[in-house]
């Protein structure tokens, strides 16, 4: 039996190994073409506040490959980060998100804040702030309608350069959230002195929140500490009503998840916003 297991493990290993290397090479080339041909699209996932009103939307990139169909950002973003291709992709995302929000406004929708995910590479670039200012200027989007999502890892070194950049963003009235909070082996204490506005609790803690006592304690702890530090709290990955209720009890501020709304194209977002606004007009 041991031999059998060992053999299977070996076969799995070689298969996964060759698959990874060749797949990555193919994907890298495909990605280059995707950048040139702009095969990307932005989807928007609504975030709702405690009253069920729209708090903001998160821009999430989608890649439609001409022959392979949809490829998940969880697969190509990490690759693009190692190859540097993340830079042109990120510029495209930022510009598209700002333009899309302007389109909504011009079509008569209420202005809504859009959150864009930042790559560490992008954040640490010397010309990052200049590019950002340029994009806002070119698209005409009000800076307070933009917020940026960073992961813990980006800020963990706590370098003066990173703090200066965050301060500059705050001065510009651009929001900053810590994404996937709790997965980066760090504590809230390092956030104490950073000019950020929001923490987003990673969905791995939300998933078991109604069953796992550990996760209940972790989530309650994060929320109460974040509130003491004056930060807003978003729960990611809210899929069930039970999870939503529990998070309401814990005084969570903002909710994001398939149970409330899935990521959707811009035109669907427009419809979603209109129907949400109509609901609130009739119930209030
Ligand atoms: P993220 O920033 O944490 O984004 C949230 C992810 O959780 C999205 O996956 C979203 O579709 C998914 N999600 C939302 N609600 C639920 C739920 O209730 N259940 C489950 N199971 N999942 C939920 P997505 O769009 O596949 O993106 C994956 C990651 O790829 C993002 O995680 C982000 O790190 C990265 N990413 C996506 N778009 C961009 C982008 O434009 N730029 C950069 N740098 N990274 C991006
Ligand atoms: Mg995010
Ligand atoms: Mg997240
Ligand atoms: Mg996450």
């Amino acid at each position: 039996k041991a031999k059998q297991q060992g053999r299977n493990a070996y076969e799995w290993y070689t298969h996964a190994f060759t698959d990874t290397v060749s797949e990555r090479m193919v994907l890298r080339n495909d990605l280059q073409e995707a950048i040139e041909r702009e095969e990307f699209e932005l989807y928007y996932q609504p975030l709702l506040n405690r009253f069920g009103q729209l708090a903001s939307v998160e821009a999430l990139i989608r890649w439609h490959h001409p022959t392979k169909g949809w490829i998940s950002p969880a697969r190509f973003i990490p690759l693009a980060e190692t190859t540097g291709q993340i830079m042109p992709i990120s510029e495209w995302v930022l510009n598209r998100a700002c333009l899309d929000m302007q389109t909504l406004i011009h079509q008569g929708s209420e202005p809504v804040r859009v959150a864009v995910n930042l790559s560490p590479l992008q954040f640490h670039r010397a010309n990052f702030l200049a590019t950002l200012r340029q994009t806002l200027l070119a698209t005409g989007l009000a800076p307070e309608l933009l917020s940026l999502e960073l992961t813990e890892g980006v800020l963990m070194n706590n370098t003066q350069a990173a703090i200066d950049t965050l301060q500059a963003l705050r001065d510009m009235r651009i929001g900053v959230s810590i994404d996937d909070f709790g997965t980066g082996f760090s504590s809230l204490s390092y956030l104490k002195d950073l000019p950020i506005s929001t923490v987003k609790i990673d969905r791995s803690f939300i998933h078991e929140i109604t069953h796992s006592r550990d996760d209940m304690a972790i989530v309650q702890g994060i929320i109460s500490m974040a509130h003491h530090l004056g930060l807003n709290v978003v729960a990611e990955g809210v899929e069930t009503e039970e999870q939503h209720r529990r998070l309401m009890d814990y005084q969570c501020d903002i909710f994001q998840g398939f149970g409330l709304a899935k990521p959707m194209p811009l035109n669907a977002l427009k419809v979603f916003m209109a129907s949400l606004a109509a609901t609130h007009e009739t119930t209030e």
Side-chain angles (χ1 to χ4, degrees), residues 158 181 186-194 225 229:
N158 248 344
F181 188 81
S186 58
S187 67
L188 274 163
S189 64
Y190 88 106
L191 299 180
K192 189 163 57 93
D193 304 314
L194 293 179
M225 279 190 281
L229 295 174

Side-chain angles (χ1 to χ4, degrees), residues 10-30:
Y10 177 73
E11 275 174 3
W12 177 84
Y13 178 75
T14 48
H15 178 73
F17 181 73
T18 50
D19 196 60
T20 303
V21 170
S22 61
E23 269 287 307
R24 281 168 70 89
M25 283 174 64
V26 171
L27 209 58
R28 180 191 180 146
N29 289 333
D30 287 359

Side-chain angles (χ1 to χ4, degrees), residues 28-73:
R28 180 191 180 146
N29 289 333
D30 287 359
L31 207 47
Q32 201 51 45
E33 290 189 358
I35 293 165
E36 284 154 21
R37 297 178 190 163
E38 296 198 11
E39 289 167 6
F40 303 111
E41 203 179 323
L42 281 189
Y43 272 39
Y44 296 94
Q45 186 175 29
L47 278 73
L48 304 183
N49 67 17
R50 293 179 61 84
F51 305 102
Q53 296 157 328
L54 190 66
S56 59
V57 297
E58 178 174 4
L60 295 161
I61 194 168
R62 298 290 176 258
W63 175 16
H64 193 259
H65 189 285
T67 55
K68 294 169 189 159
W70 295 102
I71 299 178
S72 164

Side-chain angles (χ1 to χ4, degrees), residues 42-49 52-60 62 101 104 112-115 149 200 234-238 244 253-277:
L42 281 189
Y43 272 39
Y44 296 94
Q45 186 175 29
L47 278 73
L48 304 183
N49 67 17
Q53 296 157 328
L54 190 66
S56 59
V57 297
E58 178 174 4
L60 295 161
R62 298 290 176 258
M101 292 308 107
L104 279 183
V112 60
R113 180 180 258 198
V114 64
E149 298 195 359
K200 300 185 72 176
V234 177
E236 298 188 317
V238 183
H244 186 227
D253 305 293
I254 315 265
F255 309 86
Q256 177 178 12
F258 295 167
L260 300 155
K262 290 192 171 163
M264 57 186 91
L266 187 70
N267 52 5
L269 175 67
K270 195 180 150 189
V271 174
F272 178 89
M273 285 171 66
S275 67
L276 200 65

Side-chain angles (χ1 to χ4, degrees), residues 50-218:
R50 293 179 61 84
F51 305 102
Q53 296 157 328
L54 190 66
S56 59
V57 297
E58 178 174 4
L60 295 161
I61 194 168
R62 298 290 176 258
W63 175 16
H64 193 259
H65 189 285
T67 55
K68 294 169 189 159
W70 295 102
I71 299 178
S72 164
R75 205 169 147 212
F76 71 84
I77 292 288
L79 174 73
E81 264 159 11
T82 67
T83 63
Q85 289 165 314
I86 191 69
M87 291 311 296
I89 295 174
S90 299
E91 267 173 44
W92 181 87
V93 169
L94 186 64
N95 193 57
R96 182 83 262 160
C98 294
L99 286 175
D100 282 353
M101 292 308 107
Q102 288 291 69
T103 299
L104 279 183
I105 294 170
H106 290 140
Q107 291 177 349
S109 299
E110 282 295 311
V112 60
R113 180 180 258 198
V114 64
V116 170
N117 291 284
L118 274 200
S119 144
L121 219 60
Q122 208 179 351
F123 181 79
H124 291 300
R125 267 285 171 100
N127 65 358
F128 165 64
L129 287 171
T131 309
L132 195 59
R133 283 197 187 93
Q134 181 50 41
T135 306
L136 288 169
L137 213 63
T139 61
L141 189 76
E144 56 269 27
L145 291 181
L146 180 66
S147 88
L148 302 171
E149 298 195 359
L150 290 165
T151 50
E152 290 167 87
V154 177
L155 303 172
M156 237 142 86
N157 334 330
N158 248 344
T159 59
Q160 193 55 46
I163 295 169
D164 290 348
T165 304
L166 291 175
Q167 190 57 53
L169 292 172
R170 170 160 289 185
D171 294 344
M172 290 166 76
R173 285 170 297 140
I174 293 172
V176 176
S177 306
I178 305 299
D179 205 352
D180 304 338
F181 188 81
T183 58
F185 302 103
S186 58
S187 67
L188 274 163
S189 64
Y190 88 106
L191 299 180
K192 189 163 57 93
D193 304 314
L194 293 179
I196 58 155
S197 52
T198 306
V199 292
K200 300 185 72 176
I201 305 176
D202 191 68
R203 68 167 186 266
S204 57
F205 300 106
I206 308 302
H207 192 67
E208 295 283 302
I209 198 179
T210 52
H211 303 100
S212 155
R213 296 209 163 269
D214 289 347
D215 288 349
M216 290 177 204
I218 290 167

